[in-house]
Amino acid sequence: MQDPIRAGLAAGWKHIDAATLGKGQTVEADVVIVGSGAGGGVTADILSASGLRVILVEEGPLRSSSDFRMLESEAYPELYQDSAARKTMDKAINILQGRCVGGSTTVNWTSSFRTPPEVFAFWQRHYGLRQLSAEAMSSWFAVMEHKLWVRAWETPPNPNNKVLAAGAEKLGIPIGAIKRNVKGCWNLGYCGMGCPTNAKQSMLLTTIPAALNRGATLYTRLRAERLRFSGGRISALDCLALRPDGIHPSGKRLQLRARHFVAAAGAIGSPALLLRSGVPDPHRLLGKRTFLHPVIISSAVMPERVDAYAGAPQTLYSDFFLHQTAIDGPLGFKLETPPLHPVLYATTLQGFGAAHAALMREFTRVNVVLALLRDGFHPESQGGQVRLGRDGLPVLDYPLGEVIWEAARRALLAMAEIQFAAGARAVTPVHETAPLYSSWAQAKKGIAELPLKPLLCRVVSAHVMGGCGMADVPQRGVADHRGRHFWLGNLSIHDGSLFPTSLGANPQLSIYGLVARNASLLAAELSGRPPPLIP
Amino acid sequence: MIVSRRQFIRTGVAGSLLLAFSGWLNAAGERRLSSDERAMLAAIAGALLDGALPPAGDERSRLVALTVDGIARTIAGLSVASQREVGELFGLLVLAPGRMVLAGVGKPWREASVDDVSAFLESWRTSRLALLQGAYAALHDLTFGAWYARPDTWEAIAYPGPPRGYF
C-alpha cells in the first residue's frame, strides 16, 4: 500500500514536528491556521491555491496509512483527544474527537450530509443569517462533494445496518442511505482508527497534501497558546511545543506572525484559544451555546452473527423522528448504526462482572443503534459552555436537562421497538440500571420507568458544534456569516464552532461547504483577486 | 439543569473536600504506579473482570497484572488534567481511611474478596454522589479498556481481530 504522506515528506514537504525543535523561534507567513481538521484543511488548500504563504498548526501528531494498523490500543491514544476519553465537566458525556493531522476527518465514519434546509431557515429567522440558505450553499456543497468523493454507497449494508433497516421497514419508518466520502473503499469497517487503504478522502489525504505541495508549512505537536493583539488586530500567535508524548510542553516556544489568523481548532479548541487570548467579547457569547448531538445508545442481541466491526460502519439512517414535531419543539433525533470494536463496546456497555462478561460473549451477535439528539433549537436546549480549566486547557460544561432526558426516553423506546421488530432476542438501553429486556412489551414498560440521569444513562458525542456562533450582529454572535470575528479585523473562524445550533446531521460536509465558501472569500480579499463567482 | 440546590451543595462540598484531601497526598501526573496502587487496581480489576477471568490461580494473577500494566499505559496517554484526576482518585483509594470510609472495604486491597470489591463498585455505580459515580465510570473504562485492548482476550468474545495480510 502506497503511503502518500510518506512519499510527500520524502519529496520535501515542509513538516516540522515541534517535539524535535532544539530552540524557540519566530516564523512569518501570510496566514496562520490553527487546526488541521475539516475547517483548517479546506482553508489551507484554498488559501495556498491563491498564492498565500500558509502555516498550519496542529496539536496532534502526523500519522498516515502505514501507521494505521486497525488496533484500538494504538488508534485512541495516537489519534483522539484525551485517548478518546474526553469528557464534559461532570463526566456524564464522553466525546470522541480527533487530535492528529486531519483532525476528526482522519477518524470519522465518513457519513456525509448537507446542512438540512430547515436548519438554514432557523438560522435566518433567529440569527439573521440571510446569506446562508440551502439554495445559496448548494454549489459549495456540490464543489466539496465532488472534490472529496461524497457519493452514494453502492455496496450492500453490513448486517449491523441491516438490523436498523429491517426493524424500521416492519414498523413503516422510512430509511435513507448515507453518502460516504470514499474512493475505492475496501469495506473493512475500521474508519475510526484511520483508513489503512487511503480510501477515505479525509483532509489527511486531500486538502493538506495539496497545500503542502504548494509550499505550505505544517507544524505538529504544537499547541496554540495565545493570540497577541492590539488596536483591533492580531499580530502574532504564541505556541508551545509539546514533548514527544504529545501531552507535556517541552519548554520551547514558537511565535508565528502573519497578516491574518484562522481559528479552526474545533468547537472546543477554537473558543478555548479565544478565551485564553482574552479577545473582546462584550456580549459574553464566546464559548456559550456549544452543542453535542448528545447520543443515546441501545444494544441488542440478535439471533445471527452481526459482526458489527466489519464493513462500512454507517450506511443507513432514519430522520423520521426529526420530523415528528416542530424544529424548536421537543428534541427530535436521527437514528444511525455505529461500528463496534471490543474496547469501544466494552467501555460503553454498562455493568461489570459476570453480567458484563456474558454480554461480551455475545459480541459478534450484538447490534447497536444510536440516536443523535438535535440540541440547540428548543428554547430550553442551550447546550454547554466552554470554560478554561486551571491549566488554561478547555473544559466543556454541558448540563443534561429535562428536555434532553425527555427526548432520550423517546429515543430509547424507538430504538428498542425497531430492534425487536428486526428480530432481536434481547435489548438493553446502555444505562447503569437497565436490565436485558426479552420482549418489546417488557422493554416498553421498563424504559417508561427508567430513571434517566447523568452518569446513569450513558451519553456520548462525536459532533461538537457552536461556541463561536455566527450571526448578523455582534449582540447575537461571535462572527459574521463569513466567519469573520466581529471585533478583531484579521481573525476568521473556520470550523464547526460557527454553527449557532446543532445540525441534526453529521457535521463534516456542513463544515466543508461553509468553510470552502468563507475561505474563498477570504482568499480573494487577501490576495487582491476577484471574489468567487458563487459568493 | 434540574438538580436540587441541596443536592448540588452536598455534592459540591463532598467533592471539594475529597479532592483537597487526596490532592494534598497526590500531586499526581507523570509517575509510575506504586505497589499499593497496583494492589488496589488488581482488586478492582479482579471484580470488574470476574466472569472474563479464569478462576483463582496463577493464570488469573498473570492476566490481572497485565491489565494493571495496560491501565498504567492508558493513564500515561491521558491529558495532564485527566492524569491529575485519576491520580487524586487513586491517592484516595490506596489509603486505609479512603478505602474504608468511601469504598466501604474493610480489609486491605490484597486481602479483599471479589464480593467485597463488587459491593463497593456497585455502591459507587448507583451512588447519589456524582463524584463517586464518575469515579466508578473511570475505573470501569480504564479496566475494560485495558482488558479488551489485548488480542489474547478476543477469542473469548469470538472477535477475529482486524483483517490481516493484505497490506
Side-chain angles (χ1 to χ4, degrees), chain A residues 72-73 76 342-348 356, chain B residues 48-49 67 70-71 73-74 137-150 153-154:
Chain A
E72 293 181 284
S73 56
Y76 299 153
V343 170
L344 189 68
Y345 185 59
T347 54
T348 307
H356 190 279
Chain B
L48 288 170
L49 297 170
T67 306
I71 293 173
R73 261 197 308 281
T74 304
L139 295 170
H140 173 280
D141 292 7
L142 283 168
T143 305
F144 283 113
W147 178 259
Y148 286 106
R150 288 208 323 274
T153 65
W154 295 344

Side-chain angles (χ1 to χ4, degrees), chain B residues 93-141:
Chain B
L93 280 176
V94 293
L95 288 174
R99 191 193 71 232
M100 288 190 278
V101 176
L102 277 171
V105 175
K107 292 186 203 118
W109 290 112
R110 281 187 184 78
E111 296 161 28
S113 70
V114 166
D115 287 348
D116 294 338
V117 179
S118 297
F120 130 66
L121 290 168
E122 189 59 39
S123 72
W124 280 25
R125 179 157 93 105
T126 52
S127 171
R128 283 180 297 115
L129 295 179
L131 191 82
L132 299 186
Q133 264 184 308
Y136 161 80
L139 295 170
H140 173 280
D141 292 7

Side-chain angles (χ1 to χ4, degrees), chain A residues 350-367:
Chain A
Q350 72 269 30
F352 63 89
H356 190 279
L359 257 175
M360 285 307 293
R361 277 193 290 273
E362 306 277 15
F363 178 68
T364 56
R365 279 192 286 272
V366 170
N367 154 263

Side-chain angles (χ1 to χ4, degrees), chain A residues 86-98:
Chain A
R86 185 172 236 186
K87 301 248 187 316
T88 49
M89 203 166 88
D90 65 358
K91 315 275 187 265
I93 310 177
N94 193 66
I95 300 169
L96 293 179
Q97 204 176 18

